[in-house]
Amino acid sequence: DYITQQIVSINDELIRGTYSEHDFGAANAAAVKVALFRLRSLQDEYPGEIDCDSLQRSIRNELDKFQEQLMLERGKSFSGIHRHLSKISAWSQEFPDVAPLYETVTQHLAGIIKDSIAVSVEIDAENLAALSFLQLEAYIKNLGVLQSIAEDAEYLSTHALDVNSARDVYEAAVVSMRAAIKLWAGTMSSKIRAAVPDEDKLRSVAKVAVCVEALNNLFEL
């Protein structure tokens, strides 16, 4: 019947507007708002069948859980997150109480971008061989984050995120890495040819090898 159709329509849009791979925009959120309005206008006549307050609470609960999934941990890729940001942005346009969810997510992601840029800028590519393995691993992971931001910069920029700076820093890092890898490769060759049985030198060679392999894997050089 009509009431059931409206409720099913709301639930379908809620799925579409959260974890589904389908697109969801302001028109979809507006459709939910219209369906809720229609149901509310009938609620007094059918109190046993319609509970708009409960429906709205269910929507908000799902959006709260959806927002939590967007609060990325540091070191996690941004790949594809723009699609989910667009969804929660669309909800916020039609449901003002959802706006703080969108603002919280974008502020959180902006903080991660800022920190990732700072980490990359602070470390000179030529000095990576001096880092411990854990420090090197963290640095490479951080560059992977910047890479994911740079690849989706066009879409992420619509959410007022400083993606241009992230892309510039990433691209500069790639140039530095290529130069550093060539330098390290030459250093390794000369040390191996010298064949000096010095433990410190061998440890240095091993660390450089780890750098080269990890960076080649990251940048597919």
Side-chain angles (χ1 to χ4, degrees), residues 110-157:
I112 292 178
I113 292 173
K114 181 179 179 180
D115 291 346
S116 296
I117 290 172
V119 169
S120 182
V121 169
E122 285 175 2
I123 298 178
D124 187 342
E126 293 183 2
N127 296 326
L128 289 184
L131 300 178
S132 70
F133 180 78
L134 290 178
Q135 289 173 323
L136 177 63
E137 186 177 45
Y139 179 73
I140 293 173
K141 191 173 185 180
N142 181 72
L143 284 181
V145 173
L146 291 178
Q147 182 183 35
S148 68
I149 295 168
E151 290 173 347
D152 284 346
E154 178 183 354
Y155 308 106
L156 289 169
S157 63

Side-chain angles (χ1 to χ4, degrees), residues 28-46:
N28 300 93
V32 174
K33 193 172 184 178
V34 169
L36 284 169
F37 176 80
R38 290 171 177 169
L39 289 174
R40 195 170 290 281
S41 68
L42 297 172
Q43 188 167 261
D44 290 341
E45 294 181 51
Y46 304 93

